[in-house]
Amino acid sequence: MTDRPHLAVIGAGPAGLAATLTAAAHGVRVTLIDSAADAGGQFYRQPARELRARRPQALHHQWRTWEGLQEGLRGHVRAGLVRHVTDHHIWFVERLDESFAVHALLGPEQEDPATVRADAVLLATGGYEQVLPFPGWTLPGVVTAGGAQAMLKGTLAVPGRVAVVAGTGPLLLPVATGLADAGVEVVALVESADPRAFVRRPRALAAQPGKLAEGALYAGQLLRRRVRPLFRHAVIEAHGTDRVEGVTVAALDATGHVRPGTARRIACDTLAVSHGLLPHTDLADSLGCRLDGNNVHVDHEQRTDVPGVWAAGEATGVGGSALALVEGRIAGASAAARMTGTEPALDAAALKSRRKLRQFAAALDDVYRPPARWTDQVTDDTVVCRCEEVTAGAVREAVGDLGAGDPRTVKLLTRAGMGWCQGRMCGPAVAGLAGCEHTPPRRPFARPVPLGVLASEPDHPTEEGPS
């Protein structure tokens, strides 16, 4: 099979899995590359095998879809059409004359290099969580909502006994439900948006009745567990010494300002907070792919503007697992056709489904926006950049006293964004405090790389695709 075109799919979440199965079914060799030990991504994250979970399906509401993807992957691997490589942390994708080299670091130590060569690349790199700062957000016990969910799915553990789930976005519902089902007392679900705003988008909602039913199911489960929903509210401070001991929440008016006299304190030992997701675009950006704001730009076939590079899933715009699956199938079919020299025969039903799911995602994005005045609650001594311990006061000083007019200048003056995460966590907050639009910064590499790897010979040992 070595004479077949070889496609490297980066990311084994819903989009990457769907693309892999589709491309392999259309006669292309595929190497599926992922940093995790098992396929599934964050959405289909499974408990560690050592835990021997008896009912892992209890942690998922789309278990049958996952079983189909998993069995399809296993079948293609057995047939030699797909090679699934795990624990590969990709730091760069190199464009060669007529192919690509995917450079990775192996294992948990991320020190040993490996390279996968392929004729084309499909990016299914997913997204990452956005958390905007507030006083007390660095206390132990304050975790991201996605982090709490990953802990539960991957380790069957919970971050505490009494939790508040807060922020904005559809992720809050399954996180609160999952924690409650695991025995955590969820004392409040604090959502800064007003879900009634969906009423103004009847067309997008009518096109996705299943999504509405899913949301209603979560809401019903929370009501049965007496979880208190607080809409158009926000956590404005977390309290504690060695660990979070409680939070102050307050109501918001229509402009995002805190309504005077509405603040109240809620005791808890855990705060799971999220303000939505942002696309992972580092690899696409380093390849020279065009970005539309925070998203990788793709055409109707999920092709980027760089020949030989496709993208699907959250990297092209956050829209959830159903949209990622559809985009993955379209991208896999297009890549296989283009690589084998045939005209893509794209599934009309998939194209229609993608259009409706994107409309629904746009409605969600419009409703679940962070409060417009969130910066008002960020005190000057609140740490904004955790890596470099840069405070909001330092950012404001750089803007107001030193004349910084953009996040890059703020970074040069304060070191905000120069740490290990390279601004992935603090970038939106710094931009907001500076009064600027957040745009992904240009990074030469997608993750830190040991100097020994960079200084080594250009041609690292190459891992060939399936034969």
Side-chain angles (χ1 to χ4, degrees), residues 45-49 51-61 63 66-67 152-154 156 178 181-182 221 225:
R45 184 185 292 270
Q46 303 297 306
R49 298 169 188 172
L51 296 175
R52 298 179 181 178
R54 288 179 295 178
R55 296 184 62 251
Q57 62 270 29
L59 302 172
H60 297 270
H61 67 280
W63 186 255
W66 160 245
E67 286 184 319
L152 179 59
K153 288 183 176 181
L156 304 182
D181 288 344
Q221 291 175 336
R225 293 187 175 277

Side-chain angles (χ1 to χ4, degrees), residues 4 38 99 106 146 195 213 230 241 262 264 326 330 354 390 405:
R4 294 190 180 191
D38 296 293
S99 61
L106 302 180
L230 298 174
T241 50
T262 63
R264 52 177 150 161
V326 171
I330 294 171
R354 181 181 63 183
V390 180

Side-chain angles (χ1 to χ4, degrees), residues 110-306:
Q110 300 183 36
E111 294 180 352
D112 297 325
T115 301
V116 175
R117 298 191 184 278
D119 301 308
V121 172
L122 196 154
L123 303 174
T125 47
Y128 64 99
E129 207 158 6
Q130 174 181 233
V131 177
L132 300 173
F134 51 87
W137 77 302
T138 58
L139 281 169
V142 179
V143 298
T144 66
Q149 186 182 63
M151 181 185 297
L152 179 59
K153 288 183 176 181
T155 68
L156 304 182
V158 293
R161 293 178 296 176
V162 181
V164 170
V165 178
T168 188
L171 177 62
L172 302 186
L173 282 173
V175 169
T177 303
L179 291 175
D181 288 344
V184 177
E185 182 185 358
V186 180
V187 290
L189 172 64
V190 184
E191 168 61 69
S192 62
D194 184 356
R196 290 175 298 182
F198 277 125
V199 176
R200 298 193 295 269
R201 296 158 182 83
R203 182 175 300 179
L205 299 182
Q208 296 297 324
K211 292 290 185 181
L212 292 178
E214 182 181 315
L217 176 63
Y218 282 132
Q221 291 175 336
L222 292 176
L223 285 175
R224 284 195 297 273
R225 293 187 175 277
R226 298 182 180 180
V227 175
R228 178 172 37 167
L230 298 174
F231 299 122
R232 290 181 68 170
H233 280 67
V235 170
I236 59 175
E237 186 173 0
H239 310 279
T241 50
D242 297 329
R243 181 182 175 89
V244 63
E245 299 169 0
V247 297
T248 294
V249 302
L252 305 176
D253 64 19
T255 63
H257 288 91
V258 170
R259 291 169 53 194
T262 63
R264 52 177 150 161
R265 185 160 171 164
I266 300 176
C268 63
D269 62 16
T270 300
L271 170 61
V273 61
S274 173
H275 295 101
L277 299 177
L278 293 172
H280 265 304
T281 59
D282 290 345
L283 293 176
D285 193 33
S286 63
L287 276 165
C289 300
R290 170 184 159 191
L291 301 183
D292 290 336
N294 290 312
N295 307 328
V296 180
H297 172 80
V298 292
D299 66 7
H300 70 288
E301 294 182 30
Q302 300 293 138
R303 294 182 297 176
T304 73
D305 59 343
V306 175

Side-chain angles (χ1 to χ4, degrees), residues 426-437:
C426 68
V430 171
L433 289 167
C436 304
E437 191 74 22

